[in-house]
């Protein structure tokens, strides 16, 4: 009896007691969940097919069907291909990132997050794993877009540094929409709802300077298209990819990205603890 | 079709229409995508696209009407699949009703719901500035061609609905049909396309149908393409009807 009481009220561990497993560190658990998320996404044939088919279809339709009818540059197909390239990369990334909302929502609604409460590692690593996984997937999709563009005849005078800067800007936007979609996945009641809420983000590239010059749009639409976040990002990426003059677009685009990231990370920091309260 | 079969078809049509009446969102959902295409191509791309037309909405509308039908028939396949899975066909086969009336009810329901969607899309186009120089006869010809086109695609939807293994499979078949107008004269003239794409675009069914509708709506003379358009529609409808009937017999025998 005394032994039991002593055991129950013991505060310090016995000499041979290691005090329990120390748990996984943040980086190793992020790595673990990134691999889990990547494995899931590559097993999902539909999302893999979408990631490859969407840029291919968009590129082929806009280049070969609409290309010579668009009043861009000299009105040639090659000019329009260079014009539309950043928009297709960002549109593809948008669709790829929307998958994050679905998987995060599934993790919350199927009780996976609840199971993790009992395990000795930071719960936020699940979310960060999905984010890193989305970045990897969408950078792969972006490289598919760029390779396809070169295969279709895109050529550039841009330096390697400018191309890296363009990919960096695109990567920053991928991070933005991934963070936003992860947040939507957390707050929505189902995967379908998460996808629905994010539809507006997927529509943004179309109502920007991505597929047609802002000046060619009606005046009431120009106001929105000229001042929404994607226009400076697309214009800066286009200038960097084609070796043109970047101007102020790059820092306006960067500010938009930083603003979105800060806002979505802050909102996630508020919402996430409530979802996985221990 | 006997008077008895017509009466049975009418009864089953009433049943299907009641289903649609209880979920009108299907018609709205069907109309949303073509309306989005209208808004996007007219307001965002329209100013930059040189289609050789004074008003791009007038050039674009015929193609968007075909996309409306192509997205609408996905629901026909979906409804048919649900009926098949729910076992209602087996219950019908035990009743003294013509087998054909079950399929025809679904086909006519598709015709009614797609007509409503088409009217909505034309209404939006009118608000966006679409104007037609067509007379009453030309409008009747447009309606007739759209009806035949809807029938043709609906029979394809019936095949998909009867053959599908999953709900997604039942409606996914419509994606290529929605995509087909993009590789036609629906959005831009085919002569602006590279040779291989142009070759396909000029010899696929959507192009003569779109061109015929465009001439009819524009009040301009229609050439031989009207017969090519009708031949495609009637041909697809006839083949679809025969194939669907044989699959249906196999599924519910």
């Amino acid at each position: 009896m005394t032994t039991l009481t002593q055991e129950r009220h013991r505060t310090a561990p016995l000499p041979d007691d290691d005090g329990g497993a120390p748990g996984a560190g943040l980086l190793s658990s992020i790595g673990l969940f990134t691999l889990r998320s990547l494995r899931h996404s590559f097993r999902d044939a539909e999302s893999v097919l979408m990631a490859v088919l969407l840029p291919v279809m968009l590129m082929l339709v806009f280049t070969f069907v609409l290309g010579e009818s668009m009043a861009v540059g000299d009105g040639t197909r090659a000019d329009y291909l260079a014009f539309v390239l950043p928009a297709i990369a960002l549109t593809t990334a948008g669709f790829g990132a929307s998958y994050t909302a679905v998987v995060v929502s599934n993790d919350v609604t199927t009780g996976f997050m609840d199971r993790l409460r009992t395990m000795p590692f930071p719960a936020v690593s699940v979310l960060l794993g999905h984010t890193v996984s989305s970045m990897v997937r969408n950078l792969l999709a972006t490289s598919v877009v760029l390779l396809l563009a070169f295969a279709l005849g895109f050529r550039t005078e841009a330096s390697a540094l400018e191309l890296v800067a363009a990919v960096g800007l695109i990567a920053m936007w991928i991070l933005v929409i991934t963070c936003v979609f992860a947040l939507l996945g957390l707050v929505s009641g189902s995967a379908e709802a998460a996808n629905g809420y994010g539809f507006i983000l997927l529509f943004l590239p179309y109502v920007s300077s991505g597929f047609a010059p802002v000046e060619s749009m009606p005046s009431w639409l120009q106001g929105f298209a000229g001042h929404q976040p994607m226009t400076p990002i697309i214009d800066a990426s286009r200038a960097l990819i084609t070796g043109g003059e970047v101007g102020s677009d790059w820092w306006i685009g960067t500010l938009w990205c930083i603003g979105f990231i800060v806002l979505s990370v802050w909102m996630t920091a508020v919402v996430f603890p409530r979802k996985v309260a221990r | 079709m006997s008077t008895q079969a017509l009466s049975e078809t009418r009864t089953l049509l009433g049943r299907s229409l009641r289903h649609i009446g209880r979920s009108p969102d299907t018609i709205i959902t069907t109309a949303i995508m073509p309306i989005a295409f209208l808004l996007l191509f007219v307001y965002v791309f329209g100013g930059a696209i040189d289609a050789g037309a004074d008003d791009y909405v007038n050039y674009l509308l015929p193609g968007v009407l075909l996309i409306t039908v192509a997205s609408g028939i996905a629901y026909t396949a979906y409804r048919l699949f649900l009926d098949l899975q729910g076992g209602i066909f087996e219950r019908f086969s035990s009743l003294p009703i013509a087998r054909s009336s079950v399929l025809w009810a679904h086909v006519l329901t598709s015709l009614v719901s797609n007509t409503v969607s088409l009217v909505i899309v034309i209404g939006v186009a009118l608000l966006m500035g679409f104007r037609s120089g067509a007379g009453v006869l030309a409008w009747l010809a447009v309606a007739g061609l759209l009806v035949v086109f809807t029938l043709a695609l609906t029979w394809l939807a019936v095949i998909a609905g009867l053959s599908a293994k999953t709900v997604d499979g039942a409606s996914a078949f419509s994606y290529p049909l929605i995509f087909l107008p993009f590789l036609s004269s629906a959005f831009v003239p085919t002569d602006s396309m590279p040779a291989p794409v142009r070759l396909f675009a000029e010899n696929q069914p959507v192009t003569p149908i779109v061109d015929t509708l465009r001439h009819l709506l524009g009040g301009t003379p229609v050439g031989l393409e009207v017969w090519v358009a009708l031949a495609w529609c009637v041909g697809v409808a006839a083949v679809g009807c025969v194939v669907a009937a044989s699959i249906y017999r196999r599924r519910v025998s």
Side-chain angles (χ1 to χ4, degrees), chain A residues 57 61 64-66 68-71 77 206 211-212 216 218 220, chain B residues 40 43-45 47-50 179 182-183 188 192-194:
Chain A
M57 298 298 260
V61 167
F64 289 117
V65 178
L66 302 174
E68 278 195 10
S69 297
M70 297 297 271
R77 193 170 293 111
Y206 295 102
F211 294 93
S216 70
W220 57 267
Chain B
L40 188 66
Y43 293 129
V44 180
F45 305 148
I49 290 178
D50 175 25
F179 184 69
F182 285 93
L183 300 177
V188 290
S192 69
M193 299 173 191

PDB file of all heavy atoms in Angstrom, chain A residues 57 61 64-66 68-71 77 206 211-212 216 218 220, chain B residues 40 43-45 47-50 179 182-183 188 192-194:
ATOM      1  N   MET A  57      -2.922  21.513 -71.224  1.00  0.00           N
ATOM      2  CA  MET A  57      -4.143  21.937 -71.922  1.00  0.00           C
ATOM      3  C   MET A  57      -4.201  23.463 -72.048  1.00  0.00           C
ATOM      4  O   MET A  57      -4.487  23.987 -73.126  1.00  0.00           O
ATOM      5  CB  MET A  57      -5.393  21.449 -71.184  1.00  0.00           C
ATOM      6  CG  MET A  57      -5.505  19.949 -71.085  1.00  0.00           C
ATOM      7  SD  MET A  57      -5.628  19.170 -72.679  1.00  0.00           S
ATOM      8  CE  MET A  57      -7.349  18.877 -72.773  1.00  0.00           C
ATOM      9  N   VAL A  61      -4.123  25.309 -75.624  1.00  0.00           N
ATOM     10  CA  VAL A  61      -5.302  26.083 -76.051  1.00  0.00           C
ATOM     11  C   VAL A  61      -4.938  27.545 -76.254  1.00  0.00           C
ATOM     12  O   VAL A  61      -5.232  28.130 -77.303  1.00  0.00           O
ATOM     13  CB  VAL A  61      -6.468  25.943 -75.040  1.00  0.00           C
ATOM     14  CG1 VAL A  61      -7.547  26.979 -75.315  1.00  0.00           C
ATOM     15  CG2 VAL A  61      -7.070  24.555 -75.120  1.00  0.00           C
ATOM     16  N   PHE A  64      -2.007  27.666 -79.268  1.00  0.00           N
ATOM     17  CA  PHE A  64      -2.337  27.222 -80.627  1.00  0.00           C
ATOM     18  C   PHE A  64      -3.732  27.627 -81.096  1.00  0.00           C
ATOM     19  O   PHE A  64      -3.953  27.798 -82.281  1.00  0.00           O
ATOM     20  CB  PHE A  64      -2.166  25.706 -80.748  1.00  0.00           C
ATOM     21  CG  PHE A  64      -0.728  25.283 -80.728  1.00  0.00           C
ATOM     22  CD1 PHE A  64      -0.239  24.479 -79.720  1.00  0.00           C
ATOM     23  CD2 PHE A  64       0.146  25.712 -81.709  1.00  0.00           C
ATOM     24  CE1 PHE A  64       1.095  24.099 -79.695  1.00  0.00           C
ATOM     25  CE2 PHE A  64       1.481  25.340 -81.694  1.00  0.00           C
ATOM     26  CZ  PHE A  64       1.960  24.535 -80.687  1.00  0.00           C
ATOM     27  N   VAL A  65      -4.676  27.744 -80.162  1.00  0.00           N
ATOM     28  CA  VAL A  65      -6.038  28.097 -80.582  1.00  0.00           C
ATOM     29  C   VAL A  65      -6.222  29.613 -80.575  1.00  0.00           C
ATOM     30  O   VAL A  65      -6.661  30.201 -81.557  1.00  0.00           O
ATOM     31  CB  VAL A  65      -7.097  27.398 -79.696  1.00  0.00           C
ATOM     32  CG1 VAL A  65      -8.494  27.805 -80.118  1.00  0.00           C
ATOM     33  CG2 VAL A  65      -6.947  25.886 -79.783  1.00  0.00           C
ATOM     34  N   LEU A  66      -5.864  30.259 -79.455  1.00  0.00           N
ATOM     35  CA  LEU A  66      -6.102  31.702 -79.337  1.00  0.00           C
ATOM     36  C   LEU A  66      -4.892  32.549 -79.730  1.00  0.00           C
ATOM     37  O   LEU A  66      -5.038  33.738 -80.003  1.00  0.00           O
ATOM     38  CB  LEU A  66      -6.507  32.046 -77.900  1.00  0.00           C
ATOM     39  CG  LEU A  66      -7.754  31.351 -77.345  1.00  0.00           C
ATOM     40  CD1 LEU A  66      -7.931  31.685 -75.881  1.00  0.00           C
ATOM     41  CD2 LEU A  66      -8.995  31.749 -78.111  1.00  0.00           C
ATOM     42  N   GLU A  68      -2.747  33.375 -82.175  1.00  0.00           N
ATOM     43  CA  GLU A  68      -2.599  34.343 -83.268  1.00  0.00           C
ATOM     44  C   GLU A  68      -3.762  35.321 -83.379  1.00  0.00           C
ATOM     45  O   GLU A  68      -3.719  36.243 -84.182  1.00  0.00           O
ATOM     46  CB  GLU A  68      -2.370  33.609 -84.594  1.00  0.00           C
ATOM     47  CG  GLU A  68      -0.918  33.209 -84.746  1.00  0.00           C
ATOM     48  CD  GLU A  68      -0.533  32.799 -86.149  1.00  0.00           C
ATOM     49  OE1 GLU A  68      -1.331  33.002 -87.074  1.00  0.00           O
ATOM     50  OE2 GLU A  68       0.572  32.268 -86.306  1.00  0.00           O
ATOM     51  N   SER A  69      -4.788  35.107 -82.571  1.00  0.00           N
ATOM     52  CA  SER A  69      -5.924  36.038 -82.593  1.00  0.00           C
ATOM     53  C   SER A  69      -5.794  37.100 -81.511  1.00  0.00           C
ATOM     54  O   SER A  69      -6.585  38.036 -81.465  1.00  0.00           O
ATOM     55  CB  SER A  69      -7.233  35.274 -82.386  1.00  0.00           C
ATOM     56  OG  SER A  69      -7.442  34.382 -83.439  1.00  0.00           O
ATOM     57  N   MET A  70      -4.811  36.928 -80.621  1.00  0.00           N
ATOM     58  CA  MET A  70      -4.653  37.873 -79.515  1.00  0.00           C
ATOM     59  C   MET A  70      -3.744  39.030 -79.925  1.00  0.00           C
ATOM     60  O   MET A  70      -2.660  38.812 -80.464  1.00  0.00           O
ATOM     61  CB  MET A  70      -4.055  37.175 -78.291  1.00  0.00           C
ATOM     62  CG  MET A  70      -4.923  36.078 -77.717  1.00  0.00           C
ATOM     63  SD  MET A  70      -6.499  36.642 -77.079  1.00  0.00           S
ATOM     64  CE  MET A  70      -6.103  37.033 -75.408  1.00  0.00           C
ATOM     65  N   ALA A  71      -4.215  40.242 -79.650  1.00  0.00           N
ATOM     66  CA  ALA A  71      -3.443  41.440 -80.007  1.00  0.00           C
ATOM     67  C   ALA A  71      -2.399  41.714 -78.930  1.00  0.00           C
ATOM     68  O   ALA A  71      -2.549  42.593 -78.089  1.00  0.00           O
ATOM     69  CB  ALA A  71      -4.386  42.623 -80.159  1.00  0.00           C
ATOM     70  N   ARG A  77       2.280  33.944 -82.505  1.00  0.00           N
ATOM     71  CA  ARG A  77       2.060  32.906 -81.499  1.00  0.00           C
ATOM     72  C   ARG A  77       3.187  32.923 -80.459  1.00  0.00           C
ATOM     73  O   ARG A  77       2.952  32.751 -79.272  1.00  0.00           O
ATOM     74  CB  ARG A  77       1.976  31.539 -82.179  1.00  0.00           C
ATOM     75  CG  ARG A  77       1.452  30.437 -81.279  1.00  0.00           C
ATOM     76  CD  ARG A  77       1.164  29.166 -82.037  1.00  0.00           C
ATOM     77  NE  ARG A  77       0.039  29.362 -82.948  1.00  0.00           N
ATOM     78  CZ  ARG A  77       0.142  29.375 -84.268  1.00  0.00           C
ATOM     79  NH1 ARG A  77       1.303  29.200 -84.841  1.00  0.00           N
ATOM     80  NH2 ARG A  77      -0.919  29.563 -85.022  1.00  0.00           N
ATOM     81  N   TYR A 206      -7.188  35.011 -64.148  1.00  0.00           N
ATOM     82  CA  TYR A 206      -7.905  35.326 -65.386  1.00  0.00           C
ATOM     83  C   TYR A 206      -8.283  36.801 -65.455  1.00  0.00           C
ATOM     84  O   TYR A 206      -8.324  37.384 -66.531  1.00  0.00           O
ATOM     85  CB  TYR A 206      -9.157  34.447 -65.515  1.00  0.00           C
ATOM     86  CG  TYR A 206      -8.830  32.984 -65.651  1.00  0.00           C
ATOM     87  CD1 TYR A 206      -8.948  32.118 -64.573  1.00  0.00           C
ATOM     88  CD2 TYR A 206      -8.366  32.469 -66.856  1.00  0.00           C
ATOM     89  CE1 TYR A 206      -8.626  30.778 -64.692  1.00  0.00           C
ATOM     90  CE2 TYR A 206      -8.041  31.128 -66.983  1.00  0.00           C
ATOM     91  CZ  TYR A 206      -8.172  30.289 -65.896  1.00  0.00           C
ATOM     92  OH  TYR A 206      -7.839  28.968 -66.009  1.00  0.00           O
ATOM     93  N   PHE A 211      -3.607  36.943 -69.102  1.00  0.00           N
ATOM     94  CA  PHE A 211      -3.976  36.358 -70.392  1.00  0.00           C
ATOM     95  C   PHE A 211      -4.266  37.408 -71.466  1.00  0.00           C
ATOM     96  O   PHE A 211      -4.282  37.096 -72.646  1.00  0.00           O
ATOM     97  CB  PHE A 211      -5.189  35.438 -70.219  1.00  0.00           C
ATOM     98  CG  PHE A 211      -4.891  34.224 -69.383  1.00  0.00           C
ATOM     99  CD1 PHE A 211      -5.125  34.221 -68.017  1.00  0.00           C
ATOM    100  CD2 PHE A 211      -4.349  33.086 -69.949  1.00  0.00           C
ATOM    101  CE1 PHE A 211      -4.832  33.109 -67.235  1.00  0.00           C
ATOM    102  CE2 PHE A 211      -4.050  31.970 -69.185  1.00  0.00           C
ATOM    103  CZ  PHE A 211      -4.291  31.977 -67.822  1.00  0.00           C
ATOM    104  N   ALA A 212      -4.537  38.628 -71.028  1.00  0.00           N
ATOM    105  CA  ALA A 212      -4.773  39.725 -71.976  1.00  0.00           C
ATOM    106  C   ALA A 212      -4.305  41.025 -71.331  1.00  0.00           C
ATOM    107  O   ALA A 212      -4.365  41.158 -70.103  1.00  0.00           O
ATOM    108  CB  ALA A 212      -6.262  39.817 -72.309  1.00  0.00           C
ATOM    109  N   SER A 216      -6.829  46.348 -72.729  1.00  0.00           N
ATOM    110  CA  SER A 216      -7.832  45.848 -73.680  1.00  0.00           C
ATOM    111  C   SER A 216      -9.168  45.540 -72.998  1.00  0.00           C
ATOM    112  O   SER A 216     -10.145  45.214 -73.662  1.00  0.00           O
ATOM    113  CB  SER A 216      -7.312  44.591 -74.379  1.00  0.00           C
ATOM    114  OG  SER A 216      -7.261  43.507 -73.469  1.00  0.00           O
ATOM    115  N   PRO A 218     -12.616  46.356 -70.551  1.00  0.00           N
ATOM    116  CA  PRO A 218     -13.481  47.527 -70.346  1.00  0.00           C
ATOM    117  C   PRO A 218     -13.024  48.327 -69.123  1.00  0.00           C
ATOM    118  O   PRO A 218     -12.466  47.755 -68.184  1.00  0.00           O
ATOM    119  CB  PRO A 218     -14.871  46.930 -70.120  1.00  0.00           C
ATOM    120  CG  PRO A 218     -14.717  45.466 -70.072  1.00  0.00           C
ATOM    121  CD  PRO A 218     -13.339  45.096 -70.468  1.00  0.00           C
ATOM    122  N   TRP A 220     -14.392  49.603 -66.518  1.00  0.00           N
ATOM    123  CA  TRP A 220     -14.841  49.214 -65.176  1.00  0.00           C
ATOM    124  C   TRP A 220     -14.076  48.001 -64.649  1.00  0.00           C
ATOM    125  O   TRP A 220     -13.968  47.800 -63.445  1.00  0.00           O
ATOM    126  CB  TRP A 220     -16.350  48.939 -65.150  1.00  0.00           C
ATOM    127  CG  TRP A 220     -16.821  47.892 -66.120  1.00  0.00           C
ATOM    128  CD1 TRP A 220     -17.276  48.105 -67.391  1.00  0.00           C
ATOM    129  CD2 TRP A 220     -16.884  46.475 -65.911  1.00  0.00           C
ATOM    130  NE1 TRP A 220     -17.611  46.914 -67.987  1.00  0.00           N
ATOM    131  CE2 TRP A 220     -17.386  45.890 -67.104  1.00  0.00           C
ATOM    132  CE3 TRP A 220     -16.570  45.635 -64.838  1.00  0.00           C
ATOM    133  CZ2 TRP A 220     -17.577  44.517 -67.252  1.00  0.00           C
ATOM    134  CZ3 TRP A 220     -16.757  44.264 -64.989  1.00  0.00           C
ATOM    135  CH2 TRP A 220     -17.256  43.720 -66.176  1.00  0.00           C
TER     136      TRP A 220
ATOM    137  N   LEU B  40     -15.879  35.919 -69.135  1.00  0.00           N
ATOM    138  CA  LEU B  40     -14.423  35.885 -69.256  1.00  0.00           C
ATOM    139  C   LEU B  40     -13.968  36.255 -70.663  1.00  0.00           C
ATOM    140  O   LEU B  40     -13.114  37.132 -70.846  1.00  0.00           O
ATOM    141  CB  LEU B  40     -13.922  34.482 -68.887  1.00  0.00           C
ATOM    142  CG  LEU B  40     -12.421  34.278 -68.768  1.00  0.00           C
ATOM    143  CD1 LEU B  40     -11.858  35.073 -67.612  1.00  0.00           C
ATOM    144  CD2 LEU B  40     -12.106  32.796 -68.560  1.00  0.00           C
ATOM    145  N   TYR B  43     -15.394  40.074 -71.672  1.00  0.00           N
ATOM    146  CA  TYR B  43     -14.848  41.227 -70.953  1.00  0.00           C
ATOM    147  C   TYR B  43     -13.339  41.173 -70.735  1.00  0.00           C
ATOM    148  O   TYR B  43     -12.676  42.196 -70.753  1.00  0.00           O
ATOM    149  CB  TYR B  43     -15.565  41.403 -69.607  1.00  0.00           C
ATOM    150  CG  TYR B  43     -17.007  41.805 -69.761  1.00  0.00           C
ATOM    151  CD1 TYR B  43     -18.019  41.121 -69.104  1.00  0.00           C
ATOM    152  CD2 TYR B  43     -17.367  42.869 -70.591  1.00  0.00           C
ATOM    153  CE1 TYR B  43     -19.352  41.486 -69.252  1.00  0.00           C
ATOM    154  CE2 TYR B  43     -18.699  43.236 -70.750  1.00  0.00           C
ATOM    155  CZ  TYR B  43     -19.683  42.546 -70.078  1.00  0.00           C
ATOM    156  OH  TYR B  43     -20.995  42.904 -70.239  1.00  0.00           O
ATOM    157  N   VAL B  44     -12.796  39.975 -70.503  1.00  0.00           N
ATOM    158  CA  VAL B  44     -11.357  39.883 -70.217  1.00  0.00           C
ATOM    159  C   VAL B  44     -10.546  39.709 -71.499  1.00  0.00           C
ATOM    160  O   VAL B  44      -9.602  40.444 -71.752  1.00  0.00           O
ATOM    161  CB  VAL B  44     -11.056  38.743 -69.214  1.00  0.00           C
ATOM    162  CG1 VAL B  44      -9.562  38.654 -68.936  1.00  0.00           C
ATOM    163  CG2 VAL B  44     -11.811  38.971 -67.909  1.00  0.00           C
ATOM    164  N   PHE B  45     -10.932  38.728 -72.328  1.00  0.00           N
ATOM    165  CA  PHE B  45     -10.162  38.465 -73.546  1.00  0.00           C
ATOM    166  C   PHE B  45     -10.701  39.209 -74.764  1.00  0.00           C
ATOM    167  O   PHE B  45      -9.977  39.440 -75.722  1.00  0.00           O
ATOM    168  CB  PHE B  45     -10.150  36.962 -73.876  1.00  0.00           C
ATOM    169  CG  PHE B  45      -9.661  36.077 -72.770  1.00  0.00           C
ATOM    170  CD1 PHE B  45     -10.159  34.795 -72.615  1.00  0.00           C
ATOM    171  CD2 PHE B  45      -8.697  36.511 -71.877  1.00  0.00           C
ATOM    172  CE1 PHE B  45      -9.710  33.967 -71.602  1.00  0.00           C
ATOM    173  CE2 PHE B  45      -8.241  35.694 -70.854  1.00  0.00           C
ATOM    174  CZ  PHE B  45      -8.750  34.420 -70.717  1.00  0.00           C
ATOM    175  N   GLY B  47     -11.477  42.183 -75.740  1.00  0.00           N
ATOM    176  CA  GLY B  47     -10.817  43.365 -76.292  1.00  0.00           C
ATOM    177  C   GLY B  47      -9.523  43.048 -77.008  1.00  0.00           C
ATOM    178  O   GLY B  47      -9.071  43.810 -77.869  1.00  0.00           O
ATOM    179  N   ALA B  48      -8.904  41.921 -76.651  1.00  0.00           N
ATOM    180  CA  ALA B  48      -7.616  41.557 -77.255  1.00  0.00           C
ATOM    181  C   ALA B  48      -7.768  40.553 -78.394  1.00  0.00           C
ATOM    182  O   ALA B  48      -6.845  40.349 -79.170  1.00  0.00           O
ATOM    183  CB  ALA B  48      -6.695  40.980 -76.185  1.00  0.00           C
ATOM    184  N   ILE B  49      -8.948  39.908 -78.480  1.00  0.00           N
ATOM    185  CA  ILE B  49      -9.149  38.889 -79.522  1.00  0.00           C
ATOM    186  C   ILE B  49      -9.654  39.540 -80.803  1.00  0.00           C
ATOM    187  O   ILE B  49     -10.627  40.293 -80.784  1.00  0.00           O
ATOM    188  CB  ILE B  49     -10.141  37.793 -79.059  1.00  0.00           C
ATOM    189  CG1 ILE B  49      -9.507  36.936 -77.957  1.00  0.00           C
ATOM    190  CG2 ILE B  49     -10.564  36.901 -80.219  1.00  0.00           C
ATOM    191  CD1 ILE B  49     -10.415  35.857 -77.397  1.00  0.00           C
ATOM    192  N   ASP B  50      -8.985  39.217 -81.895  1.00  0.00           N
ATOM    193  CA  ASP B  50      -9.435  39.703 -83.198  1.00  0.00           C
ATOM    194  C   ASP B  50     -10.141  38.548 -83.904  1.00  0.00           C
ATOM    195  O   ASP B  50      -9.507  37.701 -84.524  1.00  0.00           O
ATOM    196  CB  ASP B  50      -8.234  40.191 -84.020  1.00  0.00           C
ATOM    197  CG  ASP B  50      -8.634  40.600 -85.427  1.00  0.00           C
ATOM    198  OD1 ASP B  50      -9.815  40.959 -85.612  1.00  0.00           O
ATOM    199  OD2 ASP B  50      -7.783  40.543 -86.335  1.00  0.00           O
ATOM    200  N   PHE B 179     -14.850  20.481 -73.922  1.00  0.00           N
ATOM    201  CA  PHE B 179     -13.573  20.965 -74.455  1.00  0.00           C
ATOM    202  C   PHE B 179     -13.590  21.099 -75.982  1.00  0.00           C
ATOM    203  O   PHE B 179     -12.872  21.930 -76.546  1.00  0.00           O
ATOM    204  CB  PHE B 179     -12.452  20.012 -74.021  1.00  0.00           C
ATOM    205  CG  PHE B 179     -11.081  20.471 -74.425  1.00  0.00           C
ATOM    206  CD1 PHE B 179     -10.510  21.595 -73.837  1.00  0.00           C
ATOM    207  CD2 PHE B 179     -10.360  19.801 -75.397  1.00  0.00           C
ATOM    208  CE1 PHE B 179      -9.251  22.038 -74.214  1.00  0.00           C
ATOM    209  CE2 PHE B 179      -9.097  20.230 -75.777  1.00  0.00           C
ATOM    210  CZ  PHE B 179      -8.537  21.352 -75.175  1.00  0.00           C
ATOM    211  N   PHE B 182     -13.587  24.419 -77.937  1.00  0.00           N
ATOM    212  CA  PHE B 182     -12.352  25.211 -77.922  1.00  0.00           C
ATOM    213  C   PHE B 182     -11.511  24.928 -79.163  1.00  0.00           C
ATOM    214  O   PHE B 182     -10.769  25.788 -79.619  1.00  0.00           O
ATOM    215  CB  PHE B 182     -11.539  24.916 -76.657  1.00  0.00           C
ATOM    216  CG  PHE B 182     -12.118  25.554 -75.426  1.00  0.00           C
ATOM    217  CD1 PHE B 182     -12.992  24.862 -74.614  1.00  0.00           C
ATOM    218  CD2 PHE B 182     -11.807  26.862 -75.093  1.00  0.00           C
ATOM    219  CE1 PHE B 182     -13.547  25.448 -73.491  1.00  0.00           C
ATOM    220  CE2 PHE B 182     -12.355  27.461 -73.971  1.00  0.00           C
ATOM    221  CZ  PHE B 182     -13.228  26.755 -73.169  1.00  0.00           C
ATOM    222  N   LEU B 183     -11.618  23.711 -79.676  1.00  0.00           N
ATOM    223  CA  LEU B 183     -10.871  23.343 -80.882  1.00  0.00           C
ATOM    224  C   LEU B 183     -11.788  23.428 -82.097  1.00  0.00           C
ATOM    225  O   LEU B 183     -11.887  22.507 -82.900  1.00  0.00           O
ATOM    226  CB  LEU B 183     -10.297  21.924 -80.745  1.00  0.00           C
ATOM    227  CG  LEU B 183      -9.324  21.702 -79.592  1.00  0.00           C
ATOM    228  CD1 LEU B 183      -8.890  20.254 -79.531  1.00  0.00           C
ATOM    229  CD2 LEU B 183      -8.100  22.598 -79.727  1.00  0.00           C
ATOM    230  N   VAL B 188     -12.430  31.549 -81.847  1.00  0.00           N
ATOM    231  CA  VAL B 188     -11.670  32.327 -82.843  1.00  0.00           C
ATOM    232  C   VAL B 188     -11.817  31.649 -84.204  1.00  0.00           C
ATOM    233  O   VAL B 188     -12.074  30.445 -84.271  1.00  0.00           O
ATOM    234  CB  VAL B 188     -10.158  32.428 -82.482  1.00  0.00           C
ATOM    235  CG1 VAL B 188      -9.932  33.312 -81.280  1.00  0.00           C
ATOM    236  CG2 VAL B 188      -9.542  31.054 -82.258  1.00  0.00           C
ATOM    237  N   SER B 192      -6.899  31.207 -88.095  1.00  0.00           N
ATOM    238  CA  SER B 192      -5.812  31.755 -87.269  1.00  0.00           C
ATOM    239  C   SER B 192      -5.048  30.644 -86.542  1.00  0.00           C
ATOM    240  O   SER B 192      -4.097  30.906 -85.820  1.00  0.00           O
ATOM    241  CB  SER B 192      -6.378  32.731 -86.237  1.00  0.00           C
ATOM    242  OG  SER B 192      -7.129  32.028 -85.265  1.00  0.00           O
ATOM    243  N   MET B 193      -5.484  29.395 -86.743  1.00  0.00           N
ATOM    244  CA  MET B 193      -4.853  28.263 -86.047  1.00  0.00           C
ATOM    245  C   MET B 193      -3.762  27.640 -86.913  1.00  0.00           C
ATOM    246  O   MET B 193      -3.826  27.728 -88.139  1.00  0.00           O
ATOM    247  CB  MET B 193      -5.912  27.199 -85.716  1.00  0.00           C
ATOM    248  CG  MET B 193      -7.012  27.691 -84.806  1.00  0.00           C
ATOM    249  SD  MET B 193      -8.315  26.449 -84.621  1.00  0.00           S
ATOM    250  CE  MET B 193      -9.585  27.407 -83.800  1.00  0.00           C
ATOM    251  N   PRO B 194      -2.774  26.986 -86.281  1.00  0.00           N
ATOM    252  CA  PRO B 194      -1.755  26.296 -87.078  1.00  0.00           C
ATOM    253  C   PRO B 194      -2.366  25.124 -87.853  1.00  0.00           C
ATOM    254  O   PRO B 194      -3.402  24.582 -87.443  1.00  0.00           O
ATOM    255  CB  PRO B 194      -0.753  25.798 -86.034  1.00  0.00           C
ATOM    256  CG  PRO B 194      -1.430  25.890 -84.731  1.00  0.00           C
ATOM    257  CD  PRO B 194      -2.525  26.888 -84.841  1.00  0.00           C
TER     258      PRO B 194
END
